[in-house]
């Protein structure tokens, strides 16, 4: 891991048109300082892969409100009417993916797997355009792996070498997203000396983290 940096310098590393894996659910467990810095930089044409797009003006919703996002791969947009409007008027391409399938596609991307077989969506319109694989008499859809240019993570604690510990809902997507980004940027509520975080509490080892934000 390189030296810690401020959020604005980190945002400058992310070019317009980049794909971003962003952790959290409804803004809980999302990297808010990174999101704010991308909005301040007036980032454009981003692809966001996340569990949801939060609410207008909150979390990932700030990127939607700022017009920074052209494509979303997500499970839920029900709380963000701006994302819904963008999908309807064609300004945001939205790919809706069942939550379990989404996290497994990200895991496959991070682990270098060729995809995931799931029965979710078999026999529905979700099946259209996808490869159907039969295993022991049962049909499954082949869902392709997901990876991105950057993973933006939010942790409760980080230590000086980038080991990360999460709390509550932040456990949902952040650890698996740490595997699937070409560059991993993490922000943390606190930064502590190595050894303070119990080994069993480290869910993302520092070797996966390229950059850690300075404390806010």
């Amino acid at each position: 891991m390189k030296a810690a940096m401020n959020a604005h310098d980190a945002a400058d590393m992310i070019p317009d048109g980049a794909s971003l894996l962003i952790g959290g659910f409804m803004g809980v467990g999302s990297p808010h300082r990174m999101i704010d810095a991308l909005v301040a930089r007036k980032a454009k044409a981003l692809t966001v892969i996340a569990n949801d797009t939060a609410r207008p003006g909150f979390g990932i919703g700030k990127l939607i409100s700022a017009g920074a996002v052209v494509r979303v791969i997500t499970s839920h947009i029900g709380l963000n009417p701006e994302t819904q409007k963008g999908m309807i008027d064609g300004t945001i391409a939205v790919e809706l993916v069942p939550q379990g399938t989404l996290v497994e596609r990200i895991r496959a991307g991070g682990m270098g797997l060729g995809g995931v077989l799931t029965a979710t969506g078999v026999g529905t319109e979700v099946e259209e355009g996808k490869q159907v694989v039969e295993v022991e008499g049962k049909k499954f859809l082949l869902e392709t792996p997901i990876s991105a240019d950057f993973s933006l993570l939010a942790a409760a604690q980080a230590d000086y070498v980038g080991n990360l510990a999460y709390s509550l809902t932040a456990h949902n997507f952040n650890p698996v997203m740490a595997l699937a980004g070409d560059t991993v940027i993490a922000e943390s509520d606190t930064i502590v000396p190595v050894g303070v975080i119990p080994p069993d509490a480290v869910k993302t080892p520092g070797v996966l983290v390229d950059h850690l934000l300075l404390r806010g």
Side-chain angles (χ1 to χ4, degrees):
M1 192 192 72
K2 298 178 180 176
M5 59 173 51
N6 66 53
H8 295 290
D9 288 342
D12 286 342
M13 295 174 49
I14 299 174
D16 291 344
S19 56
L20 311 177
L21 287 153
I22 303 180
F25 178 48
M26 294 175 59
V28 178
S30 294
H32 293 281
R33 285 185 283 138
M34 274 301 310
I35 290 169
D36 287 346
L38 285 168
V39 171
R41 191 183 70 70
K42 301 185 186 302
K44 299 294 182 187
L46 300 175
T47 292
V48 170
I49 303 132
N51 185 57
D52 71 323
T53 56
R55 308 188 307 271
F58 184 70
I60 295 170
K62 290 184 176 180
L63 292 170
I64 300 293
S65 299
V69 179
V70 296
R71 185 181 180 216
V72 174
I73 302 174
T74 187
S75 295
H76 182 56
I77 61 171
L79 294 177
N80 195 323
E82 292 181 346
T83 309
Q84 297 167 28
K85 182 178 182 302
M87 182 175 69
I88 292 169
D89 65 21
T91 57
I92 302 175
V94 177
E95 179 182 351
L96 292 172
V97 182
Q99 189 178 68
T101 302
L102 179 60
V103 74
E104 289 303 321
R105 288 179 66 186
I106 296 168
R107 191 189 314 278
M111 300 300 288
L113 303 178
V116 176
L117 295 180
T118 175
T120 302
V122 171
T124 73
E125 63 181 24
V126 174
E127 184 177 314
E128 294 178 8
K130 294 181 179 175
Q131 184 176 347
V132 178
V133 178
E134 189 166 315
V135 180
E136 296 181 343
K138 293 184 63 176
K139 290 183 177 179
F140 298 88
L141 301 184
L142 174 61
E143 297 282 0
T144 54
I146 293 175
S147 57
D149 299 321
F150 294 86
S151 293
L152 307 182
L153 312 179
Q157 281 188 313
D159 65 21
Y160 296 153
V161 296
N163 293 313
L164 304 179
Y166 305 96
S167 65
L168 303 174
T169 307
H171 281 94
N172 61 2
F173 276 85
N174 281 293
V176 70
M177 286 180 170
L179 302 170
D182 291 341
T183 299
V184 177
I185 303 173
E187 67 176 64
S188 174
D189 295 338
T190 60
I191 300 176
V192 298
V194 175
V196 170
I197 303 174
D200 286 349
V202 174
K203 302 303 180 185
T204 298
V207 69
L208 294 175
V209 178
D210 296 291
H211 302 283
L212 183 66
L213 296 195
L214 295 166
R215 286 177 292 185

PDB file of all heavy atoms in Angstrom, residues 168-184:
ATOM      1  N   LEU A 168     -21.237  -3.703  10.928  1.00  0.00           N
ATOM      2  CA  LEU A 168     -22.642  -3.779  10.519  1.00  0.00           C
ATOM      3  C   LEU A 168     -22.790  -3.984   9.004  1.00  0.00           C
ATOM      4  O   LEU A 168     -22.138  -4.839   8.428  1.00  0.00           O
ATOM      5  CB  LEU A 168     -23.374  -2.529  11.008  1.00  0.00           C
ATOM      6  CG  LEU A 168     -23.292  -2.300  12.553  1.00  0.00           C
ATOM      7  CD1 LEU A 168     -23.912  -0.970  12.934  1.00  0.00           C
ATOM      8  CD2 LEU A 168     -23.942  -3.451  13.287  1.00  0.00           C
ATOM      9  N   THR A 169     -23.634  -3.160   8.370  1.00  0.00           N
ATOM     10  CA  THR A 169     -23.968  -3.376   6.959  1.00  0.00           C
ATOM     11  C   THR A 169     -22.773  -3.247   6.032  1.00  0.00           C
ATOM     12  O   THR A 169     -22.815  -3.740   4.902  1.00  0.00           O
ATOM     13  CB  THR A 169     -25.068  -2.375   6.536  1.00  0.00           C
ATOM     14  OG1 THR A 169     -26.146  -2.477   7.460  1.00  0.00           O
ATOM     15  CG2 THR A 169     -25.593  -2.676   5.154  1.00  0.00           C
ATOM     16  N   ALA A 170     -21.731  -2.583   6.479  1.00  0.00           N
ATOM     17  CA  ALA A 170     -20.543  -2.428   5.632  1.00  0.00           C
ATOM     18  C   ALA A 170     -19.918  -3.764   5.268  1.00  0.00           C
ATOM     19  O   ALA A 170     -19.124  -3.850   4.329  1.00  0.00           O
ATOM     20  CB  ALA A 170     -19.522  -1.530   6.310  1.00  0.00           C
ATOM     21  N   HIS A 171     -20.286  -4.830   6.002  1.00  0.00           N
ATOM     22  CA  HIS A 171     -19.757  -6.149   5.671  1.00  0.00           C
ATOM     23  C   HIS A 171     -20.329  -6.696   4.361  1.00  0.00           C
ATOM     24  O   HIS A 171     -19.802  -7.654   3.807  1.00  0.00           O
ATOM     25  CB  HIS A 171     -20.093  -7.158   6.777  1.00  0.00           C
ATOM     26  CG  HIS A 171     -19.196  -7.071   7.965  1.00  0.00           C
ATOM     27  ND1 HIS A 171     -19.510  -6.325   9.074  1.00  0.00           N
ATOM     28  CD2 HIS A 171     -18.000  -7.641   8.225  1.00  0.00           C
ATOM     29  CE1 HIS A 171     -18.537  -6.442   9.970  1.00  0.00           C
ATOM     30  NE2 HIS A 171     -17.605  -7.221   9.472  1.00  0.00           N
ATOM     31  N   ASN A 172     -21.432  -6.103   3.881  1.00  0.00           N
ATOM     32  CA  ASN A 172     -22.138  -6.778   2.790  1.00  0.00           C
ATOM     33  C   ASN A 172     -21.322  -6.840   1.509  1.00  0.00           C
ATOM     34  O   ASN A 172     -21.015  -7.917   0.998  1.00  0.00           O
ATOM     35  CB  ASN A 172     -23.528  -6.155   2.558  1.00  0.00           C
ATOM     36  CG  ASN A 172     -23.471  -4.678   2.179  1.00  0.00           C
ATOM     37  OD1 ASN A 172     -22.393  -4.087   2.041  1.00  0.00           O
ATOM     38  ND2 ASN A 172     -24.631  -4.070   2.014  1.00  0.00           N
ATOM     39  N   PHE A 173     -20.950  -5.710   0.938  1.00  0.00           N
ATOM     40  CA  PHE A 173     -20.280  -5.728  -0.355  1.00  0.00           C
ATOM     41  C   PHE A 173     -18.808  -5.314  -0.288  1.00  0.00           C
ATOM     42  O   PHE A 173     -18.041  -5.643  -1.178  1.00  0.00           O
ATOM     43  CB  PHE A 173     -21.008  -4.802  -1.340  1.00  0.00           C
ATOM     44  CG  PHE A 173     -22.183  -5.452  -2.018  1.00  0.00           C
ATOM     45  CD1 PHE A 173     -23.425  -5.477  -1.409  1.00  0.00           C
ATOM     46  CD2 PHE A 173     -22.049  -6.048  -3.259  1.00  0.00           C
ATOM     47  CE1 PHE A 173     -24.506  -6.080  -2.030  1.00  0.00           C
ATOM     48  CE2 PHE A 173     -23.117  -6.656  -3.890  1.00  0.00           C
ATOM     49  CZ  PHE A 173     -24.355  -6.668  -3.275  1.00  0.00           C
ATOM     50  N   ASN A 174     -18.413  -4.560   0.739  1.00  0.00           N
ATOM     51  CA  ASN A 174     -17.045  -4.038   0.745  1.00  0.00           C
ATOM     52  C   ASN A 174     -15.967  -5.119   0.650  1.00  0.00           C
ATOM     53  O   ASN A 174     -15.055  -5.000  -0.189  1.00  0.00           O
ATOM     54  CB  ASN A 174     -16.827  -3.163   1.983  1.00  0.00           C
ATOM     55  CG  ASN A 174     -17.415  -1.769   1.842  1.00  0.00           C
ATOM     56  OD1 ASN A 174     -16.947  -0.975   1.041  1.00  0.00           O
ATOM     57  ND2 ASN A 174     -18.457  -1.478   2.602  1.00  0.00           N
ATOM     58  N   PRO A 175     -16.028  -6.184   1.470  1.00  0.00           N
ATOM     59  CA  PRO A 175     -14.935  -7.171   1.388  1.00  0.00           C
ATOM     60  C   PRO A 175     -14.814  -7.839   0.026  1.00  0.00           C
ATOM     61  O   PRO A 175     -13.700  -8.033  -0.476  1.00  0.00           O
ATOM     62  CB  PRO A 175     -15.297  -8.181   2.488  1.00  0.00           C
ATOM     63  CG  PRO A 175     -16.131  -7.410   3.452  1.00  0.00           C
ATOM     64  CD  PRO A 175     -16.936  -6.473   2.602  1.00  0.00           C
ATOM     65  N   VAL A 176     -15.946  -8.173  -0.579  1.00  0.00           N
ATOM     66  CA  VAL A 176     -15.858  -8.860  -1.874  1.00  0.00           C
ATOM     67  C   VAL A 176     -15.428  -7.886  -2.972  1.00  0.00           C
ATOM     68  O   VAL A 176     -14.697  -8.263  -3.903  1.00  0.00           O
ATOM     69  CB  VAL A 176     -17.197  -9.556  -2.215  1.00  0.00           C
ATOM     70  CG1 VAL A 176     -18.295  -8.560  -2.545  1.00  0.00           C
ATOM     71  CG2 VAL A 176     -17.009 -10.530  -3.363  1.00  0.00           C
ATOM     72  N   MET A 177     -15.826  -6.614  -2.853  1.00  0.00           N
ATOM     73  CA  MET A 177     -15.407  -5.627  -3.852  1.00  0.00           C
ATOM     74  C   MET A 177     -13.910  -5.356  -3.793  1.00  0.00           C
ATOM     75  O   MET A 177     -13.305  -4.955  -4.788  1.00  0.00           O
ATOM     76  CB  MET A 177     -16.196  -4.330  -3.666  1.00  0.00           C
ATOM     77  CG  MET A 177     -17.641  -4.430  -4.126  1.00  0.00           C
ATOM     78  SD  MET A 177     -18.529  -2.875  -3.881  1.00  0.00           S
ATOM     79  CE  MET A 177     -20.049  -3.218  -4.787  1.00  0.00           C
ATOM     80  N   ALA A 178     -13.320  -5.566  -2.625  1.00  0.00           N
ATOM     81  CA  ALA A 178     -11.873  -5.376  -2.499  1.00  0.00           C
ATOM     82  C   ALA A 178     -11.097  -6.308  -3.421  1.00  0.00           C
ATOM     83  O   ALA A 178      -9.949  -6.036  -3.769  1.00  0.00           O
ATOM     84  CB  ALA A 178     -11.444  -5.594  -1.050  1.00  0.00           C
ATOM     85  N   LEU A 179     -11.739  -7.407  -3.828  1.00  0.00           N
ATOM     86  CA  LEU A 179     -11.066  -8.396  -4.679  1.00  0.00           C
ATOM     87  C   LEU A 179     -11.143  -8.049  -6.156  1.00  0.00           C
ATOM     88  O   LEU A 179     -10.355  -8.556  -6.960  1.00  0.00           O
ATOM     89  CB  LEU A 179     -11.706  -9.779  -4.471  1.00  0.00           C
ATOM     90  CG  LEU A 179     -11.716 -10.344  -3.056  1.00  0.00           C
ATOM     91  CD1 LEU A 179     -12.601 -11.578  -3.001  1.00  0.00           C
ATOM     92  CD2 LEU A 179     -10.303 -10.678  -2.617  1.00  0.00           C
ATOM     93  N   ALA A 180     -12.107  -7.213  -6.546  1.00  0.00           N
ATOM     94  CA  ALA A 180     -12.470  -7.125  -7.961  1.00  0.00           C
ATOM     95  C   ALA A 180     -12.137  -5.792  -8.622  1.00  0.00           C
ATOM     96  O   ALA A 180     -12.514  -5.580  -9.774  1.00  0.00           O
ATOM     97  CB  ALA A 180     -13.962  -7.420  -8.126  1.00  0.00           C
ATOM     98  N   GLY A 181     -11.450  -4.902  -7.928  1.00  0.00           N
ATOM     99  CA  GLY A 181     -11.064  -3.634  -8.541  1.00  0.00           C
ATOM    100  C   GLY A 181      -9.597  -3.645  -8.925  1.00  0.00           C
ATOM    101  O   GLY A 181      -8.756  -4.148  -8.178  1.00  0.00           O
ATOM    102  N   ASP A 182      -9.278  -3.067 -10.078  1.00  0.00           N
ATOM    103  CA  ASP A 182      -7.863  -2.970 -10.472  1.00  0.00           C
ATOM    104  C   ASP A 182      -7.082  -2.133  -9.456  1.00  0.00           C
ATOM    105  O   ASP A 182      -5.923  -2.409  -9.153  1.00  0.00           O
ATOM    106  CB  ASP A 182      -7.747  -2.344 -11.855  1.00  0.00           C
ATOM    107  CG  ASP A 182      -8.286  -3.253 -12.947  1.00  0.00           C
ATOM    108  OD1 ASP A 182      -8.412  -4.466 -12.692  1.00  0.00           O
ATOM    109  OD2 ASP A 182      -8.579  -2.746 -14.043  1.00  0.00           O
ATOM    110  N   THR A 183      -7.718  -1.059  -8.982  1.00  0.00           N
ATOM    111  CA  THR A 183      -7.128  -0.213  -7.951  1.00  0.00           C
ATOM    112  C   THR A 183      -8.128  -0.097  -6.808  1.00  0.00           C
ATOM    113  O   THR A 183      -9.304   0.188  -7.040  1.00  0.00           O
ATOM    114  CB  THR A 183      -6.824   1.200  -8.499  1.00  0.00           C
ATOM    115  OG1 THR A 183      -5.880   1.086  -9.574  1.00  0.00           O
ATOM    116  CG2 THR A 183      -6.245   2.096  -7.414  1.00  0.00           C
ATOM    117  N   VAL A 184      -7.665  -0.331  -5.602  1.00  0.00           N
ATOM    118  CA  VAL A 184      -8.554  -0.332  -4.431  1.00  0.00           C
ATOM    119  C   VAL A 184      -8.222   0.863  -3.543  1.00  0.00           C
ATOM    120  O   VAL A 184      -7.079   1.032  -3.104  1.00  0.00           O
ATOM    121  CB  VAL A 184      -8.409  -1.647  -3.629  1.00  0.00           C
ATOM    122  CG1 VAL A 184      -9.276  -1.607  -2.371  1.00  0.00           C
ATOM    123  CG2 VAL A 184      -8.793  -2.834  -4.504  1.00  0.00           C
TER     124      VAL A 184
END
